[in-house]
Amino acid sequence: NREVLRGGPEQKSRGFVLHSNDYFNETNSYTVNEDICLTATLDILKAMAFEGGPHEALFALGYCGWSPGQLENEISGNGWLTVPFSRELLFGLPIESRYDAALARLGITRATLSATAGHG
């Protein structure tokens, strides 16, 4: 009973699960940070369906890809907004509330979001 998100335009039939660290498969899971892991194999789906799996998880089909340095350049050019990690933002809020909640963490709203980039 989980939502399936669109992870990106690459390999749309491939699934990725970003999840809490209470599930970890030594051969298939990747540690993102001390709280979060990524698993992209069927074992995570089986665990989620039949064995309980991780307590918190996001399931997405597809991914985005960048060439080396491309994402870093886009971030430094203000092509992306980033917020500090928040378990509530990642897993706790309803999907439809997360964008506005992320903006609020930056002290802005959709109405105050500007198309003009700047460096402070």
Side-chain angles (χ1 to χ4, degrees):
N1 237 3
R2 295 190 188 254
E3 296 176 274
V4 178
L5 305 175
R6 187 177 64 148
E10 304 293 327
Q11 293 187 10
K12 295 177 191 174
S13 62
R14 177 116 193 241
F16 298 86
V17 180
L18 192 62
H19 56 87
S20 51
N21 65 359
D22 55 335
Y23 174 90
F24 190 82
N25 182 318
E26 291 288 333
T27 59
N28 299 326
S29 296
Y30 170 77
T31 300
V32 175
N33 68 26
E34 64 185 37
D35 297 317
I36 305 299
C37 299
L38 177 75
T39 306
T41 53
L42 286 177
D43 60 295
I44 184 80
L45 298 182
K46 290 177 184 175
M48 290 168 65
F50 303 112
E51 301 167 16
H55 178 67
E56 299 169 305
L58 290 176
F59 176 53
L61 291 175
Y63 66 90
C64 294
W66 290 269
S67 60
Q70 180 183 352
L71 182 58
E72 291 83 356
N73 288 335
E74 290 177 9
I75 291 171
S76 68
N78 287 316
W80 293 88
L81 291 175
T82 60
V83 297
F85 169 73
S86 161
R87 187 176 220 97
E88 177 192 19
L89 188 59
L90 188 60
F91 297 121
L93 295 174
I95 298 290
E96 62 276 4
S97 301
R98 293 179 189 174
Y99 181 72
D100 289 323
L103 290 177
R105 289 177 188 270
L106 298 173
I108 57 178
T109 67
R110 292 177 194 234
T112 60
L113 183 62
S114 173
T116 305
H119 293 277

